[in-house]
Amino acid sequence: MTDPAGTGQPAAADVRTSRLVTTLGGLGALAGLLIVVVFRWTQPSIQAHKAEVLRQAINEVLKEPDSYDTLYLVDGKLETEPAAGLDRTKLEQVYLGHRGNGGSVGFAVAAAEPGFQDVIRLIFGYDPKTGHLMAMKVLESKETPGLGDKILKDSAFIGEFEGAAVPLNGVKRGSGKAGDASQVDMITGATISSRTVIRAINQTIARLGPIMDAYARNATQ
Amino acid sequence: MTHGAVEPASMTHGAPVAPRARRPVAPREDLLRGVWKENPVLVQVLGMCPTLAVTNSVANSIAMGLATLFVLVGSCVLVSGIRRWVPDQVRIATFVLIIATFVTVADMTLEAVAPAIHKSLGAFVPLIVVNCIILARAEAFASRQSVGRSALDALGMGFGFILTLLLMGTIREILGSGTLLGRSLFGPSYEPWVIMVLPPGGFLTLGALLLVVGWWRQRKAGRAVPVNEPACAPTVGKVA
Amino acid sequence: MGELTWIFVSAMVVNNFTLMLFLGLCPFIGVSNRIATALRMGAANTFVLVMTAVCVWVLNTFVLVYAPYLRLISFIVVIASLVQIVEMVIKKVSPVLFRELGIYLPLITTNCAILGLAIFQTSRGYDFLEGLSFAVGAGAGLTLALVLMASIRESSELANIPQPVRGTALVLLIAGSLSLAFMGFAGLLSSG
């Protein structure tokens, strides 16, 4: 800043390029500095909140396990410690819950599928010992308020997934056979959203089910 | 070096720089102008994107309004403070850089302080950068006026924006969900007018508000007033 | 439905940038008087959207993994420079096209649609092809909305509209009806 204060705005013609660069560069550096400071300051609570949200979701779908491990999907197998060269954030993850006595509870698995309006993201608990679901929780959806968003709020629908056998079979409320564990009553007025949830779970189980079963068998041997 | 340039901002306080400032303007006028007479949304037709996108509930409207107010006041004060040191050619680039910095700060702070609201506002927090109100005030007012006047102007415009968002949010939440700030108003028998919290409701509510404002201004003036076209086009034209 | 088709259809109609996400409203309100103009504006926007998608992918893949906090600033800088470069290149290569599109290019810089695309592309973690599909779909959606609005405004030009409704209020009310119509596309995406 060669210009002493008080001369007002410099005329457009007689400004050197170096001055333009210094002004922008200096301001840019200052802006970068400020952002890094705020980033450092806010990041811990942002990360803590994200971890807390995930922990709560896992607790809910695995019925309050005493602890859980994160498993990474590498080459069709689940591993607790992927090789050092792999970027853990890019690998698909499932969570294995444990009881205090060392027995495993089941897997918490995330799934996503295009719904009525946009992608619906959910997490569900799966018990490989019985082949049944433990619970389901929708994490993110932009479904129509009052209709499709019942997949988030309708406790009867959410309860349907507890103990349901996979693959699931969506039926109209009251029209299914009694005693069929794979049957899920869909929400009237939110058929597409209900079906999306069911399809997301079925597809994920079809893809990951055998892998989780194999992991559970190896772990108990 | 640049740091030194930012610091003595207060020295320029009150110094009339713009040739326009012939008669002294009362601080009250600077502050109140943005609230009604030159309301950024209802009269200047700026910042439509957040006004329509996030006003499906009162809580979202307040959060978006406060974030915008923070960015607006911060940017305008800084722009005014360094206006003598910034060469004309890089003026707009500097403004955009300043605004983007404040928005990043606001975005990260909101995510740390109120994660739930941050999530429901989604991409519209970073999109404050392209809210025409901020660039328009920085360019049309703050880059020519003293720090004090710019701060008052930004505060007024920000409050005008918050009031408009609040009006939209209240109308849409009451009609669309039957609630106010999440509390049920009419009991379970009320069938909410769901379309009001969906995108069409935003367009229809703002359209109706602009209609009422246009009618009111015409009646007050006793003649046809010129129709307000969005003013962002000429402002943006100067960016390139 | 294939992933790429899905992204395209989603961006074009189901989650149309203008009518569902309120992005790109300035040209939608300001430059929608004539169908021909609307088409050119749409084309210019689509072009810049696609270029942005490519740049954002490069930034996200090679630069921002090291400094995620500089995302917004780098997007803005890249978009602003991109529009300038595109303007210069078009001027050099095809003066005719420049005369057609030139005046719209500066209008695009702080258009929310461009930055919106960059932000959504990042938060959804699209790869290169998905990003391209998203950009083309978003551009097609913007053009569709602009042309629809322009054709309605052209037809209603000679109608005797009361003074207070004219201008932005009318555009918003029409946009509301269009948006209502576009809600009918929801559900198109779920294949079952």
Side-chain angles (χ1 to χ4, degrees), chain A:
Chain A
M1 306 294 152
T2 47
D3 206 287
T7 53
Q9 282 198 355
D14 57 4
V15 179
R16 287 193 309 277
T17 319
S18 63
R19 205 181 138 202
L20 303 183
V21 174
T22 349
T23 315
L24 273 184
L27 260 180
L30 208 69
L33 195 73
L34 180 69
I35 288 175
V36 171
V37 169
V38 177
F39 179 73
R40 283 286 172 86
W41 174 60
T42 54
Q43 206 56 22
S45 50
I46 292 176
Q47 294 302 340
H49 175 76
K50 278 186 182 159
E52 176 62 23
V53 168
L54 180 67
R55 202 182 60 78
Q56 270 177 9
I58 292 171
N59 269 344
E60 205 168 307
V61 296
L62 290 184
K63 306 285 169 200
E64 311 288 332
D66 294 313
S67 66
Y68 68 86
D69 287 333
T70 307
L71 303 177
Y72 301 88
L73 184 70
V74 187
D75 296 330
K77 266 195 213 135
L78 291 173
E79 293 176 11
T80 39
E81 289 294 322
L86 295 164
D87 181 2
R88 287 186 177 198
T89 55
K90 292 238 168 73
L91 296 172
E92 188 168 357
Q93 304 170 0
V94 300
Y95 310 93
L96 178 61
H98 301 287
R99 285 273 169 259
N101 55 22
S104 66
V105 182
F107 292 93
V109 191
E113 185 72 14
F116 195 59
Q117 190 71 43
D118 212 332
V119 177
I120 297 175
R121 286 175 209 287
L122 55 94
I123 188 165
F124 63 90
Y126 169 69
D127 186 349
K129 288 196 286 286
T130 58
H132 287 195
L133 296 184
M134 301 173 70
M136 182 280 300
K137 181 184 168 66
V138 175
L139 298 174
E140 198 183 321
S141 95
K142 294 196 176 63
E143 304 299 279
T144 321
L147 297 170
D149 77 338
K150 284 185 189 154
I151 56 167
L152 276 160
K153 295 170 184 162
D154 188 328
S155 52
F157 175 71
I158 296 167
E160 288 282 303
F161 291 87
E162 219 163 291
V166 286
L168 304 169
N169 181 24
V171 293
K172 271 193 193 148
R173 198 159 274 184
S175 76
K177 295 189 294 283
D180 182 355
S182 71
Q183 194 171 281
V184 170
D185 287 349
M186 296 190 291
I187 304 168
T188 318
T191 319
I192 292 182
S193 307
S194 313
R195 211 178 273 151
T196 305
V197 171
I198 292 166
R199 192 169 54 237
I201 294 178
N202 281 346
Q203 284 181 356
T204 312
I205 286 286
R207 194 164 50 86
L208 295 177
I211 298 172
M212 292 190 287
D213 291 345
Y215 185 88
R217 265 199 308 279
N218 285 338
T220 49
Q221 270 165 17

Side-chain angles (χ1 to χ4, degrees), chain A residues 1 12 19 26-27 31 45 49 145, chain B residues 1-2 85 89 94 101 112 115 194:
Chain A
M1 306 294 152
R19 205 181 138 202
L27 260 180
S45 50
H49 175 76
Chain B
M1 205 157 86
T2 316
W85 292 277
Q89 294 92 327
T94 327
T101 310
V194 175

Side-chain angles (χ1 to χ4, degrees), chain B residues 30-31 33-34 38 72 76 137 141-142 148-158:
Chain B
D30 273 334
L31 184 66
R33 184 175 37 215
E38 290 182 24
L72 187 59
C76 283
R137 286 337 280 176
F141 199 89
R149 287 196 64 192
S150 302
L152 282 178
D153 176 73
L155 270 175
M157 290 290 164

Side-chain angles (χ1 to χ4, degrees), chain C:
Chain C
M1 208 185 293
E3 184 73 4
L4 293 180
T5 328
W6 187 87
I7 291 176
F8 176 84
V9 175
S10 168
M12 180 170 169
V13 290
V14 180
N15 294 301
N16 182 286
F17 262 37
T18 312
L19 295 172
M20 288 293 158
L21 299 174
F22 309 107
L23 299 170
L25 279 177
C26 282
F28 186 66
I29 297 170
V31 201
S32 58
N33 294 320
R34 293 267 166 279
I35 297 177
T37 331
L39 265 175
R40 286 190 197 119
M41 185 68 198
N45 260 305
T46 310
F47 186 62
V48 178
L49 279 170
V50 172
M51 300 292 285
T52 310
V54 174
C55 291
V56 165
W57 178 79
V58 171
L59 268 179
N60 280 335
T61 318
F62 300 108
V63 186
L64 292 175
V65 278
Y66 304 108
Y69 39 85
L70 290 182
R71 190 173 295 140
L72 195 54
I73 290 196
S74 51
F75 284 172
I76 277 286
V77 170
V78 164
I79 291 169
S81 349
L82 190 72
V83 174
Q84 294 259 287
I85 294 169
V86 168
E87 195 177 347
M88 285 190 279
V89 169
I90 294 184
K91 200 173 189 176
K92 180 96 179 161
V93 175
S94 163
V96 180
L97 189 65
F98 180 75
R99 268 204 305 278
E100 301 273 292
L101 293 185
I103 50 161
Y104 304 117
L105 284 172
L107 289 177
I108 295 173
T109 314
T110 59
N111 178 342
C112 341
I114 313 288
L115 187 64
L117 176 105
I119 292 168
F120 282 124
Q121 190 187 349
T122 310
S123 66
R124 293 175 190 177
Y126 285 155
D127 65 22
F128 184 69
L129 281 179
E130 289 170 341
L132 273 189
S133 178
F134 184 47
V136 176
L142 279 183
T143 315
L144 180 65
L146 271 168
V147 170
L148 280 175
M149 177 55 83
S151 45
I152 295 175
R153 285 180 83 175
E154 259 189 27
S155 324
S156 65
E157 202 170 9
L158 295 176
N160 186 15
I161 299 164
Q163 185 65 25
V165 197
R166 283 187 199 185
T168 315
L170 181 65
V171 176
L172 286 171
L173 293 173
I174 297 174
S177 330
L178 281 177
S179 170
L180 211 53
F182 267 64
M183 282 190 61
F185 286 113
L188 196 64
L189 297 173
S190 6
S191 41

Side-chain angles (χ1 to χ4, degrees), chain B residues 49-130:
Chain B
C49 169
T51 311
L52 292 162
V54 303
T55 50
N56 50 7
S57 78
V58 175
N60 282 356
S61 309
I62 294 173
M64 173 52 88
L66 288 178
T68 311
L69 179 77
F70 165 75
V71 176
L72 187 59
V73 173
S75 308
C76 283
V77 166
L78 199 56
V79 161
S80 168
I82 63 170
R83 68 187 186 280
R84 289 153 188 261
W85 292 277
V86 175
D88 217 35
Q89 294 92 327
V90 292
R91 195 180 69 246
I92 301 284
T94 327
F95 297 169
V96 173
L97 184 69
I98 291 173
I99 296 170
T101 310
F102 275 106
V103 173
T104 311
V105 169
D107 187 28
M108 292 193 289
T109 315
L110 191 64
E111 192 175 3
V113 176
I117 292 218
H118 182 266
K119 197 180 166 197
S120 68
L121 293 181
F124 292 101
V125 182
L127 279 172
I128 296 176
V129 174
V130 283

